[in-house]
Amino acid sequence: MAKQPVRVLVTGAAGQIGYALVPMIARGVMLGPDQPVILHMLDIAPAAEALNGVKMELVDAAFPLLKGVVATTDVVEACTEVNIAVMVGGFPRKEGMERKDVMSKNVAIYKSQASALEKHAAANCKVLVVANPANTNALILKEFAPSIPEKNISCLTRLDHNRALGQVSERLNVPVSDVKNVIIWGNHSSTQYPDVNHASVKTPAGEKPDLSFTSLIRLHGEFITTVQQRGAAIIKARKLSSALSAASSACDHIRDWVLGTPEGTWVSMGVYSDGSYNVPAGLIYSFPVTCRNGEWTIVQGLPIDALSRKKLDLTAEELTEEKELAYSCLS
C-alpha cells in the first residue's frame, strides 16, 4: 500500500541553501526512497519570481516522489498542514550591524513563522532551524509556538558534526563511512566544541576507540579550530556561504530523527537542554543523541575531562548571552 505524502516546508526556499535542499527532499534523500512528499516553499515577496522559478525546475525534473508543490510568500499558506518544517530563511548579519540589530530582525521573523506553525501545522510537526543564530532562533520559535512540544524543535549542528567526521576521515586517511560518534557540543558558532574523545574508527581488526586515535587527531594540529571555522573558510574560497553541505546535513538531521540512528551510533542535534552534562536547562544546545521511533534521546554517561568541561561551559555561556539578548528584543 502506497504511503501518504509527507508535507515538508522549506523557508527561504529561493535562496542558496533552499535551492540545494528542495531537490534532495524531492529525490528521497531526506525521508527515504519510498516516501512521497509535497513541498511547501516560502520566501519573501521580493524573491517571489525566483521562487516560482524554483517551482518550475522542480516540475521540470519530474521527481517521481514529488506529489505537489506549494510556492508562496504567504506564511499561513506555507505552514498549513506541514509535517516537517525546515527553517532556512532568516536575516543575515550585514556589515556595520550590531548583534542586537540582527537578533531583533530574526526575533520578528521567527515570531511570525512560529505563530503560523502553531496555528496551522499538522499535529506533531517536527521543526529544524537552520538560519543563524540557529540555536537562539529555535528558542524564539519555541517561545511563540508553545503547543509544539519542545522535543519537536531542534536546530542544525549536523553540518558541524559532518565536518568533524570529514576532518577525521582526511587526517586518518580512512573512508568517512568508517568514522562515527564524534560530538558537537553547544552553539552553532565558533564557540562550538567538536569532540573526538568518544569517537571510533573502523579498522581491519574492528572498531577502534583508543587514545592513539585521539592523539593522532590532536597531533595533526588545528582540528577543533578547523571545524569551528570551516564555514568562514568556505566563504573565503567560494565567496558564498555553505549551501550544498548545509542542505545535505539538514537531510541527514531529519532522516535520522524520523527514521532512526543506526545501532551504536549517535549524531549531534541542537535540542532543548534538560540539564544533562550540567548544561543550563532552557537553552537549545547541541548534544550527542540517538533517535528511535521519531524521538531523540540525549546520550548519557559519557565521561567529560577538564578540558572538555571548560569548552562545554564556554559555549553555554555564549548561548545564555544570546538568549538574554533575544529576550530583550521581545520587550
Side-chain angles (χ1 to χ4, degrees):
M1 186 171 166
K3 292 183 176 181
Q4 288 298 305
V6 171
R7 292 181 179 269
V8 182
L9 166 65
V10 177
T11 71
Q16 274 204 97
I17 296 173
Y19 186 71
L21 177 59
V22 292
M24 294 182 187
I25 298 170
R27 196 177 286 281
V29 175
M30 177 178 280
L31 294 171
D34 62 345
Q35 178 59 65
V37 295
I38 297 172
L39 272 167
H40 289 226
M41 302 192 300
L42 175 68
D43 218 311
I44 56 176
E49 190 174 357
L51 186 65
N52 189 51
V54 177
K55 180 179 179 179
M56 291 162 65
E57 287 205 72
L58 287 168
V59 171
D60 293 350
F63 293 110
L65 291 172
L66 186 59
K67 303 305 180 185
V69 181
V70 176
T72 183
T73 59
D74 182 89
V75 68
V76 171
E77 183 184 8
C79 292
T80 298
E81 293 302 313
V82 295
N83 308 104
I84 293 167
V86 185
M87 317 302 284
V88 179
F91 194 92
R93 187 171 185 175
K94 297 179 179 178
E95 191 173 351
M97 287 186 75
E98 296 294 330
R99 283 179 71 213
K100 186 165 184 176
D101 297 333
V102 184
M103 193 69 75
S104 179
K105 294 277 190 185
N106 280 295
V107 164
I109 291 168
Y110 277 83
K111 181 177 179 180
S112 165
Q113 294 179 353
S115 298
L117 285 169
E118 164 91 3
K119 294 173 185 172
H120 303 288
N124 207 35
C125 176
K126 287 179 164 54
V127 183
L128 167 62
V129 177
V130 176
N132 289 322
N135 300 59
T136 301
N137 283 343
L139 193 62
I140 293 301
L141 191 146
K142 177 194 166 296
E143 289 295 317
F144 289 100
S147 72
I148 298 178
E150 61 192 34
K151 290 206 75 166
N152 282 26
I153 296 173
S154 64
C155 80
L156 186 71
T157 56
R158 183 62 174 268
L159 175 56
D160 309 297
H161 182 99
N162 287 352
R163 285 168 172 166
L165 291 174
Q167 287 301 306
V168 173
S169 165
E170 286 208 326
R171 289 159 191 260
L172 299 187
N173 195 27
V174 297
V176 72
S177 56
D178 288 349
V179 185
K180 70 177 188 179
N181 294 351
V182 298
I183 302 169
I184 303 298
W185 298 98
N187 199 2
H188 175 62
S189 75
S190 60
T191 68
Q192 67 177 252
Y193 174 39
D195 181 4
V196 295
N197 286 305
H198 313 285
S200 64
V201 174
K202 192 184 295 181
T203 70
E207 283 187 4
K208 188 177 178 182
D210 65 10
L211 286 176
S212 62
F213 165 58
T214 303
S215 300
L216 190 52
I217 286 294
R218 287 181 174 152
L219 210 69
H220 279 70
E222 309 296 318
F223 170 77
I224 290 174
T225 53
T226 297
V227 176
Q228 289 173 331
Q229 298 171 11
R230 187 67 161 186
I234 288 168
I235 290 172
K236 185 177 180 182
R238 287 189 74 227
K239 313 301 182 242
L240 294 165
S241 61
S242 309
L244 183 156
S245 55
S248 179
S249 299
C251 287
D252 291 344
H253 177 114
I254 295 290
R255 185 185 61 249
D256 285 341
W257 191 2
V258 173
L259 302 179
T261 48
E263 190 68 31
T265 298
W266 61 66
V267 295
S268 300
M269 287 174 60
V271 298
Y272 197 67
S273 172
D274 61 358
S276 293
Y277 295 99
N278 293 320
V279 170
L283 299 176
I284 301 282
Y285 189 99
S286 184
F287 289 96
V289 304
T290 56
C291 302
R292 187 176 181 185
N293 298 326
E295 302 282 342
W296 54 263
T297 303
I298 296 172
V299 176
Q300 298 292 341
L302 297 174
I304 304 296
D305 62 23
L307 173 65
S308 297
R309 183 72 261 163
K310 286 181 182 177
K311 292 186 178 297
L312 265 69
D313 292 344
L314 178 67
T315 191
E317 286 168 14
E318 182 183 55
L319 281 169
T320 300
E321 290 172 8
E322 279 190 16
K323 178 180 178 179
E324 290 169 356
L325 187 60
Y327 278 52
S328 73
C329 297
L330 297 176
S331 54

